[in-house]
Amino acid sequence: MKKLALHWQILIGMVLGILFGVVLLQLEWGQEQVLLKTIPASSSIEHQMIDGVLTPVEIVKPAKEVTITHARHFISNWIAPFGSIFVNLLKLIAVPLILASLIKGISDLKDIAKFRNMGIRTVLIYIATTVIAITIGLGLVNIAQPGSGVSKETIEKLSATYEGNENIAGKLATAAKQKDSGPLQALVDMIPDNAVAAMSNNSLMLQVIFFAIFLGISMLLIGEEKALPLKKFFDSLNDVVLKMVDLIMLSAPFAVFALLANVVVSADDPEVLLALLYYALTVVAGLILMIVVYCLIFALYVKKSPFWFLNKIAPAQLLAFSTSSSAATLPVTMERVEEHMGVEKEVSSFVLPVGATINMDGTSLYQAVAAVFVCQALGIDIDFAGQLTIILTALLASIGSAAVPGAGMVMLVIVLESIDFPSELLPVALALIFAVDRPLDMLRTTVNVTGDATVASVVAKSLGKFGEPHVENWDDHLDDVTS
Ligand code: ASP
């Protein structure tokens, strides 16, 4: 019997995971409340302006019980960990994969000038696609005006729901830290002072890329013969890590089941989600348009069917959707683009890891829509100069966003600050869009990954490095090691 294609297996796992979450929430057992913890009563002194005088006021917070439903409790204790294990496995191989494949890619180069060429092309195309994404986002939010219809009651309800939310406070604090750094800090942060420390932290991907390029170029410069042992080592490491991707992917259909069941039971009250439906639909429309743009670029420039492209890249897109992390998806994106599409390693090993860190078209489109949406909802005018500022800061913000769930919202704070958004309203702004952030994060991450794959194809085509697919299966050599 012909085996079901991987993307269908993953899709079935996702649908079953959603159904499982929904059914569990409907059962009577799912409605039951479980006491998670009791937060004791506390009091603190805060200074408030009363009649123009700063006056100390005692704020008393009564004891609070934190409860969750049985269904959420069950899924987070017994199902969700399998999703986390899968994501951990993918993250585990990200650094060795980038190192091995980038060093192999560079040390195979016959001409260093080609690498410079590729670097410049990659960055310019990444910037171009991001500007297109932001422009689409701004165009749609200005036409649809999703913020104008949000009532005062909804704003008050959302602010009250998320008042003091730890997640929102955390995002504001991270944004404040990022904002305080100097203009060249990003450049300084790219150069590691300790290679091992860089490799031990997944959020330092650009440092690992820098180290790999530096090592690869130096290998070229010592001459082929001397570099050979190291080259063979990284060649072999690269094959091993790609095999690890194949093995991890065997569990993908089960892992997405766990990930999506958890998303369903952690989702917010449907009523809150409905209030933000028009805004969410505006973002979704923009993201769909962006996928159409990629398909057009692919068809016109790479001269292959966009359906072929989507078919090949589908497993990476589905994982991006399920994990909300382009960094965790990176090993799968690399495997699909190289083995299933035929982009040569020299290109994919550089363009994709760089893209996962700096190219986030979906995130920047979302930031443009969200920034204008909150301004519309809170009655704050943004003029043409403000919209241009959004294009620039959303571009920089998407470059600076970490490739992890929810990172786009942190950088949104910086976009809002660039258009002089009143800082006292920032918590309200985040509260307004918080409820739908997770589903939108899943979708924008899918677009981020698709964008990286499109640009890798375009760069490969422009350099004559788009070859033939050469798929490896996890069990190709199984017979050699079993009796
Ligand atoms: N989750 C996104 C990514 O990993 C970033 C974001 O938009 O929050 O690509």
Side-chain angles (χ1 to χ4, degrees), residues 3 47 57 85 97 140 167 191 209 217 262 281 283 327 348 375 385 400 432 444 481:
K3 234 178 102 200
H47 287 81
V57 180
I85 291 175
L97 181 60
L140 282 177
N167 242 317
I191 319 297
I209 294 172
I217 291 181
N262 194 37
L281 286 180
V283 178
S348 61
C375 290
L432 258 180
R444 62 189 191 239
V481 286

Side-chain angles (χ1 to χ4, degrees), residues 125-374:
I125 304 177
Y126 275 152
I127 292 178
T129 55
T130 307
V131 171
I132 295 177
I134 302 170
T135 314
I136 290 180
L138 279 180
L140 282 177
V141 71
N142 280 301
I143 295 170
Q145 302 268 342
S148 315
V150 181
S151 65
K152 230 173 150 224
E153 293 80 62
T154 309
I155 298 176
E156 274 163 14
K157 187 173 169 212
L158 288 169
S159 312
T161 311
Y162 295 109
E163 196 202 334
N165 183 299
E166 284 168 14
N167 242 317
I168 291 187
K171 287 187 196 303
L172 286 168
T174 318
K177 238 191 263 159
Q178 298 223 7
K179 198 189 67 178
D180 283 344
S181 43
L184 291 184
Q185 193 56 39
L187 201 63
V188 176
D189 288 345
M190 239 158 65
I191 319 297
D193 63 355
N194 183 326
V196 180
M199 283 181 241
S200 70
N201 185 343
N202 275 329
S203 63
L204 298 178
M205 211 98 99
L206 281 180
Q207 296 197 352
V208 177
I209 294 172
F210 174 84
F211 178 66
I213 295 175
F214 198 10
L215 195 90
I217 291 181
S218 305
M219 273 168 68
L220 282 177
L221 295 176
I222 61 170
E224 220 174 315
E225 200 193 334
K226 278 196 185 155
L228 197 62
L230 212 48
K231 192 164 161 346
K232 279 193 171 157
F233 169 78
F234 284 114
D235 265 8
S236 167
L237 179 64
N238 181 57
D239 288 344
V240 172
V241 183
L242 280 175
K243 192 58 68 188
M244 290 166 106
V245 178
D246 291 338
L247 290 173
I248 296 170
M249 286 305 279
L250 291 176
S251 65
F254 305 98
V256 293
F257 173 91
L259 287 166
L260 286 194
N262 194 37
V263 168
V264 171
V265 292
S266 321
D268 274 282
D269 174 2
E271 216 182 290
V272 180
L273 296 182
L274 269 180
L276 295 173
L277 191 66
Y278 195 31
Y279 152 68
L281 286 180
T282 312
V283 178
V284 174
L287 295 176
I288 293 175
L289 266 180
M290 212 42 219
I291 298 274
V292 175
V293 170
Y294 296 140
C295 287
L296 280 176
I297 295 177
F298 196 84
L300 295 175
Y301 192 78
V302 184
K303 299 207 165 35
K304 277 184 188 280
S305 154
F307 297 108
W308 177 85
F309 168 60
L310 291 177
N311 188 290
K312 298 291 167 193
I313 198 71
Q317 289 176 315
L318 295 174
L319 284 194
F321 181 82
S322 309
T323 60
S324 290
S325 165
S326 6
T329 313
L330 179 64
V332 183
T333 319
M334 288 176 82
E335 196 241 14
R336 298 304 297 186
V337 169
E338 261 171 56
E339 291 186 5
H340 293 256
M341 286 175 51
V343 169
E344 286 183 22
K345 190 177 294 299
E346 270 169 59
V347 175
S348 61
S349 66
F350 171 74
V351 180
L352 292 172
V354 170
T357 11
I358 71 162
N359 181 53
M360 298 199 180
D361 298 344
T363 302
S364 52
L365 186 150
Y366 149 85
Q367 282 165 342
V369 177
V372 179
F373 166 75
V374 290

Side-chain angles (χ1 to χ4, degrees), residues 171 320 323-329 356 359-360 362-364 366-367 401-410 437 440-442 444-449 452:
K171 287 187 196 303
T323 60
S324 290
S325 165
S326 6
T329 313
N359 181 53
M360 298 199 180
T363 302
S364 52
Y366 149 85
Q367 282 165 342
S401 294
V404 295
M409 229 178 150
V410 173
D437 191 60
L440 293 183
D441 193 0
M442 297 161 86
R444 62 189 191 239
T445 310
T446 310
V447 171
N448 291 345
V449 166
D452 297 343

